Amino acid sequence: MRDTASGHRWEGSEQFYRGAILALGLALGLAGCRTRASKEDGKPAAPARSAALAGARVAGQPPAQQDDGQWLMPAKDYASTRYSALAQINTANVAQLKPAWTFSTGNVRGHEGAPLVVGSTMYVVTPFPNILYALDLTQPGAPLKWKYEPPVLPAAQGVACCDVVNRGAAYDDGKIYYNTLDGQTVAVDAAAGGEVWRTMVADINKGESITMAPLVVKGKVLVGNSGGEFGVRGWLTALDSGSGRIAWRAYSTGPDKDVLIGPRFKPFYPQDRGKDLGVSTWPPDAWKIGGGTMWGWISYDPELNLIYHGTANPGPWNPDIRPGDNKWTAGIFARDPDTGEARWFYQWSPHDLYDYDGINENVLLDLELQGQHGQRRKVLVRPERNGYVYVLDRVTGEVLSANPFVHVTSSRGVDLKTGRLIEAPDKKTGFGHIVRDVCPAAPGAKDWQPSAFSPRTGLLYMPHNNLCMDEEGVEANYIAGTPFVGANVRMYAGPGGNRGAFTAWDPAAGRAVWSVPEPFPAWSGALVTAGDVVFYGTMEGWFKALDAHTGKELWKFKTGSGIIGQPITYKGPDGKQYVAIFSGVGGWSGAIVAAGLDPRDGTAALGFVNAMKDLPQKTTPGGMLYVFALP
Amino acid sequence: MRRLATGLCALALTFAALACEREERRFQTLPAKSARAQPVRLTTLQPGQSLPARSGHGPYDENAWAISEGERLFNQYNCSGCHFHGGGGIGPPLMDAKWIYGSDPQNIYDTIVEGRPNGMPSYGGHVPDDQIWKIEAYVRTLSGLAPKAAEPDRSDQMEARRSEQATSPAAPRGQKAEHPQ
């Protein structure tokens, strides 16, 4: 402990906290280890382990697979398509969609979650305090079956950078899995609602929290931490789905053995080869507090037996404090789900200057790229925060194309020979100056809000932002459990004045097909169906259905609060198709409303408040699930 | 041997004394005018007749130099990481007239020292008392609670404007919040 505030680290208190939280973690962990051996009857089908969907531009493409009408993970399938083969609701009748029933969560923070439908039960997880509700779809109005309320430390709200959101749960083998804000992963008996296990995997006193939805692959629950604005060290961990015990943990920074880099690691580009790059691309010890968290999306290719996950921004934001490429932050890993071993890596933003977390969704497609006639490739499509839609070869990690989908000033493209992002020297952030008109802004051209892909149209439907910013680098003091950012930011609308858009993108051709401007960032997820209808929500509260081919608006409904949730569709026990969405504004973009921030300070909420000053006039907080059906 | 006996005796006495304390019925109550009888209050609601509230005083509330020190410390201890320049983020805004835990200097001091349950860290013991009072004095300026003469006249924070040249000098620091009560 130092007497003055100029010290950079508080070793004493940090150790104290570590000890205390370790003890707590152990106690909770032990308590959570008692497994319940309950087997429920009427066990729903396991998640479809189907291979990646084939792109529509591919000749001789197989017809869309049969849809069982369930929704077992937020992205619908391992390829993360958010595509449903249900087609009762289609372009001809969607205009008649009506609310069928609603459910209030009684929670006024941002609802970024996706409901799940397993058999005849719907499951929703609320933002902090992360209550799980099970709703009975066999009864009129879908009454509550049970609720599960884990003990979650309220202090965790202090280390959640961007509202206390939760992005949903995942179902596998009779259990619902999800994460709590204070860093626990829980498994709940899907039938009876009892806790099966609960494991503390993160530590709020280091600034860690968890907001992501887990993915379950081959009996492993994959979970990553949040806290890139708190100087945490990012990781992805696998828990045994039966016992909740940690099977492996892969860090995003540090020596190879911690990153699970071994002989099987074969990155495509030479800049990613070498020993312990997670140490040598940082100033001494900076990797220990260097970020690279994993709060976003994971995809899985069962054929290649590879999972794909991004890594978030390096910390602190002020890049002058961390010269070097800062590996393995702001990139993407392919890993073996059984062991966690890294197989390849690619870095979207080496030495990231703008908080471009690389954790967005990875859509796995078999695609025939334009100009490569008759040659299908296993690709991974990634609409990335830095403004480009990347198409990678998902076997090797080679960049096949990278085209901008918004106005970009922060870089000058991607060099397809070296794979490197081409820097824009005039937009370099750091100490002692304010850089203006940096586009995209810190939340990126597209933040976490997941897109959807239809094999029928061959288009990727992306809800996204159109924001630019001014940034000023300032001092950053590392004090465990408090923010470690070192930048003042203010954001504003990009060219055109619309702060968001919903864009249909042809990944094979690398260009937009249509785009609908939105006054506010399009912060909800997208859903597309075999009825060729695409759904998303707006921050004012409109839930919209567009024609997947043309982008023409076919229907909209004004919900009670701004929408930042993930739409899903399912077939009810009555055989009817339903569409469900959370309403409930918040998140980083909506914190001005959900947390009642003061618009007079443009730097509030990491500068997002400056761009959202008028949102409080457009919507009010309040979480509600809406479910729609045809009459 | 003798020593042992004395020791045992002392031990027995101690136990006896402890037992006595447990059983004792006190005929004298604590003085009626304890320090908390006229406290700094967090609420205007009182049981029965309204008694006066004390208003706390920070040692630096009127001292311009200490307040500017408070601003520096507010950034260095990462208060600004959660509250930004008063508009809030993870923590609530500090520039408005709404206070969950009170705007009295003593309330704000207590908030910083004790922490608050929904995510405000407890700085007590981690930061010297003197610095906490300086930070307290600065926090009150954010919502216009400090005497005008002592307030920092210009903020060095990043201003929400396009360029230095494009605006007239000394852009106003945002309108003043109404004082609570």
Side-chain angles (χ1 to χ4, degrees):
Chain A
M1 180 58 35
R2 309 228 184 141
D3 175 86
T4 64
S6 55
H8 290 267
R9 295 232 204 165
W10 291 0
E11 297 293 356
S13 53
E14 201 189 326
Q15 262 162 27
F16 166 76
Y17 281 138
R18 279 215 186 123
I21 203 71
L22 194 75
L24 189 67
L26 275 172
L28 288 171
L30 285 175
C33 277
R34 252 175 287 123
T35 14
R36 274 265 236 81
S38 73
K39 265 268 180 289
E40 85 283 13
D41 30 16
K43 197 167 110 185
R49 299 192 200 277
S50 64
L53 282 167
R57 293 299 157 91
V58 176
Q61 183 220 313
Q65 96 227 53
Q66 202 54 42
D67 198 304
D68 66 5
Q70 302 187 96
W71 199 279
L72 305 179
M73 58 184 96
K76 171 73 176 173
D77 49 39
Y78 280 142
S80 300
T81 64
R82 293 174 190 264
Y83 168 79
S84 164
L86 300 182
Q88 274 179 22
I89 299 169
N90 55 44
T91 49
N93 61 19
V94 67
Q96 285 138 48
L97 221 51
K98 295 265 168 352
W101 53 272
T102 57
F103 175 78
S104 168
T105 63
N107 187 309
V108 295
R109 302 306 290 256
H111 285 58
E112 285 188 354
L116 298 183
V117 173
V118 184
S120 55
T121 307
M122 179 183 285
Y123 302 89
V124 293
V125 182
T126 71
F128 169 88
N130 307 128
I131 299 170
L132 172 67
Y133 290 103
L135 307 170
D136 184 356
L137 300 176
T138 63
Q139 302 296 316
L144 186 64
K145 260 172 119 166
W146 48 256
K147 75 168 179 177
Y148 164 74
E149 199 169 353
V152 185
L153 298 171
Q157 295 170 95
V159 291
C161 80
C162 309
D163 200 3
V164 295
V165 298
N166 181 285
R167 301 195 179 84
Y171 170 84
D172 191 55
D173 195 23
K175 293 189 278 291
I176 302 287
Y177 304 90
Y178 70 99
N179 300 306
T180 64
L181 190 68
D182 66 345
Q184 304 175 75
T185 303
V186 300
V188 180
D189 180 337
E195 180 178 298
V196 181
W197 52 256
R198 180 157 53 85
T199 305
M200 184 66 90
V201 289
D203 176 353
I204 63 165
N205 280 306
K206 279 196 231 157
E208 290 179 318
S209 58
I210 307 187
T211 55
M212 57 94 75
L215 185 76
V216 191
V217 169
K218 295 168 84 182
K220 298 224 160 49
V221 187
L222 302 171
V223 176
N225 62 350
S226 304
E229 282 59 53
F230 284 77
V232 314
R233 187 182 173 202
W235 46 255
L236 179 77
T237 199
L239 294 95
D240 178 78
S241 68
S243 67
R245 270 192 283 276
I246 292 178
W248 52 259
R249 178 169 292 199
Y251 287 93
S252 305
T253 67
D256 287 353
K257 66 170 176 23
D258 292 5
V259 187
L260 304 188
I261 285 177
R264 294 172 76 204
F265 182 57
K266 302 264 182 310
F268 190 83
Y269 298 100
Q271 63 263 31
D272 300 318
R273 298 179 207 142
K275 197 173 157 29
D276 293 334
L277 296 180
V279 174
S280 63
T281 58
W282 294 88
D285 285 350
W287 56 269
K288 292 180 181 165
I289 51 172
T293 54
M294 219 320 278
W295 53 274
W297 302 108
I298 311 168
S299 296
Y300 172 55
D301 182 334
E303 236 173 80
L304 298 170
N305 193 34
L306 289 178
I307 54 164
Y308 301 94
H309 73 88
T311 56
N313 62 293
W317 287 17
N318 185 341
D320 287 348
I321 299 170
R322 44 172 176 82
D325 270 359
N326 309 136
K327 289 197 161 78
W328 308 87
T329 65
I332 178 172
F333 274 109
R335 293 184 185 276
D336 181 328
D338 302 315
T339 60
E341 281 171 288
R343 300 297 302 279
W344 56 256
F345 173 85
Y346 170 72
Q347 198 166 26
W348 317 110
S349 301
H351 186 61
D352 163 52
L353 305 175
Y354 314 103
D355 182 39
Y356 291 162
D357 304 54
I359 53 70
N360 287 357
E361 69 280 10
N362 310 296
V363 186
L364 310 186
L365 307 173
D366 290 352
L367 208 63
E368 180 187 313
L369 292 177
Q370 210 167 53
Q372 300 195 332
H373 209 68
Q375 200 198 343
R376 258 206 216 185
R377 290 187 82 152
K378 288 181 187 301
V379 302
L380 177 155
V381 180
R382 157 63 77 94
E384 172 53 21
R385 198 138 147 164
N386 65 13
Y388 302 91
V389 178
Y390 287 76
V391 179
L392 302 189
D393 180 319
R394 72 172 181 273
V395 182
T396 63
E398 179 189 5
V399 180
L400 303 177
S401 71
N403 294 295
F405 64 103
V406 294
H407 177 61
V408 177
T409 64
S410 61
S411 64
R412 306 220 167 119
V414 179
D415 182 336
L416 291 182
K417 247 197 225 95
T418 62
R420 249 188 115 90
L421 190 70
I422 304 162
E423 283 164 27
D426 55 319
K427 298 295 178 195
K428 201 194 156 309
T429 58
F431 277 120
H433 63 292
I434 299 179
V435 191
R436 298 182 193 277
D437 297 314
V438 176
C439 316
K446 195 183 138 304
D447 203 284
W448 74 282
Q449 58 268 50
S451 45
F453 177 82
S454 167
R456 289 171 52 87
T457 61
L459 300 179
L460 184 74
Y461 301 94
M462 310 185 294
H464 64 96
N465 313 326
N466 176 36
L467 296 166
C468 302
M469 68 174 171
D470 299 347
E471 181 169 337
E472 171 188 34
V474 296
E475 201 188 326
N477 286 334
Y478 178 76
I479 306 170
T482 72
F484 185 51
V485 172
N488 288 325
V489 170
R490 58 180 200 96
M491 305 178 202
Y492 39 86
N498 54 304
R499 285 159 282 184
F502 190 83
T503 299
W505 182 268
D506 180 343
R511 59 178 176 84
V513 174
W514 52 259
S515 184
V516 178
E518 285 291 346
F520 292 99
W523 206 261
S524 88
L527 161 71
V528 64
T529 71
D532 290 342
V533 190
V534 50
F535 293 91
Y536 73 103
T538 75
M539 292 193 71
E540 303 103 303
W542 290 105
F543 188 46
K544 296 185 177 179
L546 310 187
D547 183 316
H549 293 279
T550 63
K552 184 172 173 257
E553 186 178 292
L554 302 174
W555 170 85
K556 66 178 173 179
F557 180 89
K558 182 71 158 45
T559 64
S561 176
I563 297 178
I564 58 166
Q566 304 162 50
I568 67 147
T569 187
Y570 66 96
K571 191 158 77 187
D574 57 0
K576 273 175 80 168
Q577 183 185 355
Y578 293 84
V579 180
I581 180 75
F582 257 148
S583 166
V585 82
W588 187 7
S589 55
I592 184 171
V593 174
L597 306 184
D598 197 310
R600 288 171 296 173
D601 176 8
T603 66
L606 294 156
F608 219 141
V609 159
N610 194 60
M612 306 299 285
K613 289 183 171 175
D614 51 338
L615 189 63
Q617 278 88 59
K618 296 290 157 73
T619 189
T620 49
M624 179 86 93
L625 175 77
Y626 286 78
V627 179
F628 300 91
L630 294 172
Chain B
M1 187 63 211
R2 179 125 167 230
R3 257 216 228 130
L4 184 70
T6 328
L8 278 174
C9 210
L11 203 66
L13 272 171
T14 317
F15 277 126
L18 279 177
C20 278
E21 174 62 21
R22 183 185 169 274
E23 296 302 327
E24 192 190 10
R25 166 99 194 263
R26 294 203 180 158
F27 292 100
Q28 225 175 354
T29 56
L30 293 175
K33 268 221 149 130
S34 81
R36 299 297 271 178
Q38 199 192 350
V40 172
R41 297 183 194 275
L42 246 182
T43 173
T44 52
L45 183 64
Q46 295 182 31
Q49 182 198 9
S50 269
L51 298 173
R54 182 166 62 88
S55 68
H57 275 293
Y60 294 118
D61 287 348
E62 279 147 39
N63 185 288
W65 177 78
I67 288 174
S68 77
E69 278 295 286
E71 177 169 17
R72 183 177 66 79
L73 296 165
F74 186 85
N75 288 316
Q76 289 194 333
Y77 286 126
N78 296 346
C79 312
S80 54
C82 287
H83 296 283
F84 295 87
H85 299 97
I90 295 170
L94 300 177
M95 71 198 297
D96 61 13
K98 281 186 234 152
W99 293 88
I100 316 168
Y101 301 106
S103 64
D104 189 274
Q106 185 67 49
N107 296 147
I108 293 173
Y109 172 90
D110 289 347
T111 291
I112 301 169
V113 168
E114 294 170 3
R116 294 299 177 213
N118 298 310
M120 169 69 196
S122 164
Y123 278 80
H126 297 276
V127 173
D129 217 43
D130 184 67
Q131 293 188 347
I132 294 180
W133 284 114
K134 286 175 180 150
I135 298 171
E136 173 276 309
Y138 170 68
V139 166
R140 280 170 54 88
T141 67
L142 290 169
S143 54
L145 292 174
K148 241 197 154 48
E151 247 185 37
D153 58 342
R154 197 181 76 86
S155 157
D156 289 334
Q157 79 190 52
M158 184 181 204
E159 297 290 346
R161 61 183 185 213
R162 296 296 290 177
S163 81
E164 263 75 51
Q165 285 78 23
T167 45
S168 51
R173 273 172 56 82
Q175 72 221 64
K176 285 278 145 66
E178 319 90 74
H179 290 233
Q181 287 116 44

mmCIF file of all heavy atoms in Angstrom, chain A residues 128-150:
data_model
loop_
_atom_site.group_PDB
_atom_site.id
_atom_site.type_symbol
_atom_site.label_atom_id
_atom_site.label_comp_id
_atom_site.label_asym_id
_atom_site.label_seq_id
_atom_site.Cartn_x
_atom_site.Cartn_y
_atom_site.Cartn_z
ATOM 1 N N PHE A 128 -28.279 -9.658 -14.320
ATOM 2 C CA PHE A 128 -28.058 -9.799 -12.890
ATOM 3 C C PHE A 128 -29.355 -9.522 -12.148
ATOM 4 O O PHE A 128 -29.989 -8.533 -12.477
ATOM 5 C CB PHE A 128 -26.970 -8.813 -12.410
ATOM 6 C CG PHE A 128 -26.883 -8.729 -10.911
ATOM 7 C CD1 PHE A 128 -26.069 -9.604 -10.226
ATOM 8 C CD2 PHE A 128 -27.655 -7.816 -10.187
ATOM 9 C CE1 PHE A 128 -26.013 -9.557 -8.835
ATOM 10 C CE2 PHE A 128 -27.604 -7.774 -8.800
ATOM 11 C CZ PHE A 128 -26.788 -8.640 -8.133
ATOM 12 N N PRO A 129 -29.828 -10.303 -11.203
ATOM 13 C CA PRO A 129 -29.146 -11.406 -10.522
ATOM 14 C C PRO A 129 -29.284 -12.783 -11.165
ATOM 15 O O PRO A 129 -29.157 -13.783 -10.475
ATOM 16 C CB PRO A 129 -29.774 -11.379 -9.145
ATOM 17 C CG PRO A 129 -31.169 -10.897 -9.388
ATOM 18 C CD PRO A 129 -31.095 -9.970 -10.553
ATOM 19 N N ASN A 130 -29.483 -12.838 -12.477
ATOM 20 C CA ASN A 130 -29.354 -14.078 -13.234
ATOM 21 C C ASN A 130 -30.293 -15.199 -12.778
ATOM 22 O O ASN A 130 -29.878 -16.316 -12.492
ATOM 23 C CB ASN A 130 -27.893 -14.572 -13.190
ATOM 24 C CG ASN A 130 -26.916 -13.497 -13.633
ATOM 25 O OD1 ASN A 130 -25.959 -13.201 -12.944
ATOM 26 N ND2 ASN A 130 -27.166 -12.900 -14.778
ATOM 27 N N ILE A 131 -31.580 -14.850 -12.755
ATOM 28 C CA ILE A 131 -32.601 -15.847 -12.406
ATOM 29 C C ILE A 131 -32.993 -16.621 -13.664
ATOM 30 O O ILE A 131 -33.109 -16.037 -14.744
ATOM 31 C CB ILE A 131 -33.832 -15.156 -11.789
ATOM 32 C CG1 ILE A 131 -33.410 -14.421 -10.521
ATOM 33 C CG2 ILE A 131 -34.956 -16.151 -11.512
ATOM 34 C CD1 ILE A 131 -34.475 -13.507 -9.959
ATOM 35 N N LEU A 132 -33.133 -17.937 -13.509
ATOM 36 C CA LEU A 132 -33.568 -18.791 -14.627
ATOM 37 C C LEU A 132 -35.041 -19.129 -14.436
ATOM 38 O O LEU A 132 -35.427 -19.660 -13.392
ATOM 39 C CB LEU A 132 -32.722 -20.067 -14.648
ATOM 40 C CG LEU A 132 -33.138 -21.166 -15.626
ATOM 41 C CD1 LEU A 132 -32.937 -20.729 -17.074
ATOM 42 C CD2 LEU A 132 -32.353 -22.456 -15.355
ATOM 43 N N TYR A 133 -35.866 -18.793 -15.440
ATOM 44 C CA TYR A 133 -37.281 -19.120 -15.387
ATOM 45 C C TYR A 133 -37.597 -20.217 -16.406
ATOM 46 O O TYR A 133 -37.120 -20.156 -17.542
ATOM 47 C CB TYR A 133 -38.131 -17.901 -15.731
ATOM 48 C CG TYR A 133 -38.114 -16.816 -14.681
ATOM 49 C CD1 TYR A 133 -37.356 -15.659 -14.861
ATOM 50 C CD2 TYR A 133 -38.874 -16.937 -13.521
ATOM 51 C CE1 TYR A 133 -37.349 -14.655 -13.905
ATOM 52 C CE2 TYR A 133 -38.864 -15.928 -12.560
ATOM 53 C CZ TYR A 133 -38.106 -14.795 -12.748
ATOM 54 O OH TYR A 133 -38.093 -13.796 -11.807
ATOM 55 N N ALA A 134 -38.418 -21.183 -16.001
ATOM 56 C CA ALA A 134 -38.900 -22.209 -16.930
ATOM 57 C C ALA A 134 -40.392 -21.997 -17.130
ATOM 58 O O ALA A 134 -41.147 -21.896 -16.154
ATOM 59 C CB ALA A 134 -38.636 -23.597 -16.361
ATOM 60 N N LEU A 135 -40.809 -21.900 -18.382
ATOM 61 C CA LEU A 135 -42.205 -21.611 -18.705
ATOM 62 C C LEU A 135 -42.817 -22.799 -19.444
ATOM 63 O O LEU A 135 -42.199 -23.361 -20.346
ATOM 64 C CB LEU A 135 -42.280 -20.337 -19.567
ATOM 65 C CG LEU A 135 -41.569 -19.115 -18.975
ATOM 66 C CD1 LEU A 135 -41.497 -17.990 -20.013
ATOM 67 C CD2 LEU A 135 -42.261 -18.644 -17.706
ATOM 68 N N ASP A 136 -44.035 -23.124 -19.063
ATOM 69 C CA ASP A 136 -44.698 -24.317 -19.583
ATOM 70 C C ASP A 136 -45.469 -23.980 -20.863
ATOM 71 O O ASP A 136 -46.531 -23.356 -20.811
ATOM 72 C CB ASP A 136 -45.650 -24.850 -18.505
ATOM 73 C CG ASP A 136 -46.308 -26.141 -18.930
ATOM 74 O OD1 ASP A 136 -46.093 -26.577 -20.089
ATOM 75 O OD2 ASP A 136 -47.049 -26.719 -18.105
ATOM 76 N N LEU A 137 -44.936 -24.431 -21.994
ATOM 77 C CA LEU A 137 -45.552 -24.081 -23.279
ATOM 78 C C LEU A 137 -46.803 -24.905 -23.582
ATOM 79 O O LEU A 137 -47.514 -24.606 -24.534
ATOM 80 C CB LEU A 137 -44.539 -24.250 -24.417
ATOM 81 C CG LEU A 137 -43.277 -23.387 -24.319
ATOM 82 C CD1 LEU A 137 -42.317 -23.721 -25.459
ATOM 83 C CD2 LEU A 137 -43.631 -21.911 -24.339
ATOM 84 N N THR A 138 -47.075 -25.924 -22.770
ATOM 85 C CA THR A 138 -48.260 -26.752 -23.050
ATOM 86 C C THR A 138 -49.529 -26.068 -22.527
ATOM 87 O O THR A 138 -50.629 -26.413 -22.930
ATOM 88 C CB THR A 138 -48.159 -28.139 -22.385
ATOM 89 O OG1 THR A 138 -48.116 -27.966 -20.956
ATOM 90 C CG2 THR A 138 -46.925 -28.892 -22.856
ATOM 91 N N GLN A 139 -49.352 -25.104 -21.615
ATOM 92 C CA GLN A 139 -50.516 -24.450 -21.005
ATOM 93 C C GLN A 139 -50.786 -23.109 -21.678
ATOM 94 O O GLN A 139 -49.845 -22.442 -22.108
ATOM 95 C CB GLN A 139 -50.265 -24.207 -19.512
ATOM 96 C CG GLN A 139 -49.960 -25.454 -18.712
ATOM 97 C CD GLN A 139 -51.142 -26.404 -18.695
ATOM 98 O OE1 GLN A 139 -52.280 -25.988 -18.517
ATOM 99 N NE2 GLN A 139 -50.866 -27.684 -18.918
ATOM 100 N N PRO A 140 -52.056 -22.694 -21.723
ATOM 101 C CA PRO A 140 -52.355 -21.371 -22.282
ATOM 102 C C PRO A 140 -51.611 -20.290 -21.494
ATOM 103 O O PRO A 140 -51.600 -20.326 -20.255
ATOM 104 C CB PRO A 140 -53.875 -21.224 -22.092
ATOM 105 C CG PRO A 140 -54.386 -22.549 -21.664
ATOM 106 C CD PRO A 140 -53.248 -23.412 -21.247
ATOM 107 N N GLY A 141 -50.977 -19.382 -22.204
ATOM 108 C CA GLY A 141 -50.262 -18.296 -21.536
ATOM 109 C C GLY A 141 -48.917 -18.684 -20.976
ATOM 110 O O GLY A 141 -48.256 -17.874 -20.331
ATOM 111 N N ALA A 142 -48.499 -19.914 -21.185
ATOM 112 C CA ALA A 142 -47.171 -20.388 -20.749
ATOM 113 C C ALA A 142 -46.829 -19.994 -19.314
ATOM 114 O O ALA A 142 -45.920 -19.207 -19.071
ATOM 115 C CB ALA A 142 -46.084 -19.903 -21.709
ATOM 116 N N PRO A 143 -47.565 -20.546 -18.350
ATOM 117 C CA PRO A 143 -47.307 -20.187 -16.950
ATOM 118 C C PRO A 143 -45.936 -20.671 -16.472
ATOM 119 O O PRO A 143 -45.332 -21.556 -17.067
ATOM 120 C CB PRO A 143 -48.420 -20.904 -16.184
ATOM 121 C CG PRO A 143 -48.808 -22.046 -17.071
ATOM 122 C CD PRO A 143 -48.611 -21.567 -18.476
ATOM 123 N N LEU A 144 -45.500 -20.068 -15.362
ATOM 124 C CA LEU A 144 -44.206 -20.408 -14.780
ATOM 125 C C LEU A 144 -44.233 -21.846 -14.255
ATOM 126 O O LEU A 144 -45.139 -22.229 -13.522
ATOM 127 C CB LEU A 144 -43.937 -19.437 -13.632
ATOM 128 C CG LEU A 144 -42.577 -19.500 -12.958
ATOM 129 C CD1 LEU A 144 -41.482 -19.127 -13.944
ATOM 130 C CD2 LEU A 144 -42.545 -18.553 -11.755
ATOM 131 N N LYS A 145 -43.219 -22.633 -14.638
ATOM 132 C CA LYS A 145 -43.081 -23.991 -14.090
ATOM 133 C C LYS A 145 -42.286 -23.933 -12.800
ATOM 134 O O LYS A 145 -42.636 -24.494 -11.795
ATOM 135 C CB LYS A 145 -42.305 -24.860 -15.082
ATOM 136 C CG LYS A 145 -43.156 -25.777 -15.948
ATOM 137 C CD LYS A 145 -42.281 -26.417 -16.997
ATOM 138 C CE LYS A 145 -42.245 -27.917 -16.888
ATOM 139 N NZ LYS A 145 -41.662 -28.505 -18.127
ATOM 140 N N TRP A 146 -41.146 -23.291 -12.892
ATOM 141 C CA TRP A 146 -40.290 -23.093 -11.708
ATOM 142 C C TRP A 146 -39.295 -22.007 -12.008
ATOM 143 O O TRP A 146 -39.153 -21.581 -13.153
ATOM 144 C CB TRP A 146 -39.566 -24.389 -11.314
ATOM 145 C CG TRP A 146 -38.865 -25.149 -12.424
ATOM 146 C CD1 TRP A 146 -39.324 -26.295 -13.022
ATOM 147 C CD2 TRP A 146 -37.612 -24.849 -13.058
ATOM 148 N NE1 TRP A 146 -38.440 -26.715 -13.989
ATOM 149 C CE2 TRP A 146 -37.366 -25.848 -14.028
ATOM 150 C CE3 TRP A 146 -36.664 -23.837 -12.910
ATOM 151 C CZ2 TRP A 146 -36.232 -25.868 -14.847
ATOM 152 C CZ3 TRP A 146 -35.523 -23.841 -13.718
ATOM 153 C CH2 TRP A 146 -35.331 -24.866 -14.671
ATOM 154 N N LYS A 147 -38.628 -21.535 -10.942
ATOM 155 C CA LYS A 147 -37.512 -20.623 -11.174
ATOM 156 C C LYS A 147 -36.326 -21.088 -10.346
ATOM 157 O O LYS A 147 -36.492 -21.715 -9.299
ATOM 158 C CB LYS A 147 -37.885 -19.175 -10.853
ATOM 159 C CG LYS A 147 -37.965 -18.835 -9.398
ATOM 160 C CD LYS A 147 -38.057 -17.323 -9.235
ATOM 161 C CE LYS A 147 -38.171 -16.978 -7.756
ATOM 162 N NZ LYS A 147 -38.197 -15.549 -7.505
ATOM 163 N N TYR A 148 -35.157 -20.786 -10.853
ATOM 164 C CA TYR A 148 -33.924 -21.125 -10.137
ATOM 165 C C TYR A 148 -33.166 -19.830 -9.908
ATOM 166 O O TYR A 148 -32.943 -19.057 -10.831
ATOM 167 C CB TYR A 148 -33.099 -22.106 -10.967
ATOM 168 C CG TYR A 148 -31.655 -22.223 -10.502
ATOM 169 C CD1 TYR A 148 -31.337 -22.906 -9.331
ATOM 170 C CD2 TYR A 148 -30.619 -21.629 -11.227
ATOM 171 C CE1 TYR A 148 -30.017 -22.999 -8.897
ATOM 172 C CE2 TYR A 148 -29.304 -21.724 -10.803
ATOM 173 C CZ TYR A 148 -29.007 -22.414 -9.641
ATOM 174 O OH TYR A 148 -27.712 -22.488 -9.213
ATOM 175 N N GLU A 149 -32.807 -19.596 -8.658
ATOM 176 C CA GLU A 149 -32.169 -18.335 -8.299
ATOM 177 C C GLU A 149 -30.837 -18.608 -7.624
ATOM 178 O O GLU A 149 -30.798 -18.918 -6.441
ATOM 179 C CB GLU A 149 -33.102 -17.562 -7.359
ATOM 180 C CG GLU A 149 -32.794 -16.107 -7.274
ATOM 181 C CD GLU A 149 -33.881 -15.306 -6.565
ATOM 182 O OE1 GLU A 149 -34.950 -15.861 -6.256
ATOM 183 O OE2 GLU A 149 -33.633 -14.123 -6.316
ATOM 184 N N PRO A 150 -29.734 -18.504 -8.359
ATOM 185 C CA PRO A 150 -28.437 -18.791 -7.745
ATOM 186 C C PRO A 150 -28.008 -17.633 -6.847
ATOM 187 O O PRO A 150 -28.457 -16.513 -7.028
ATOM 188 C CB PRO A 150 -27.503 -18.891 -8.960
ATOM 189 C CG PRO A 150 -28.134 -18.015 -9.986
ATOM 190 C CD PRO A 150 -29.617 -18.055 -9.752
#
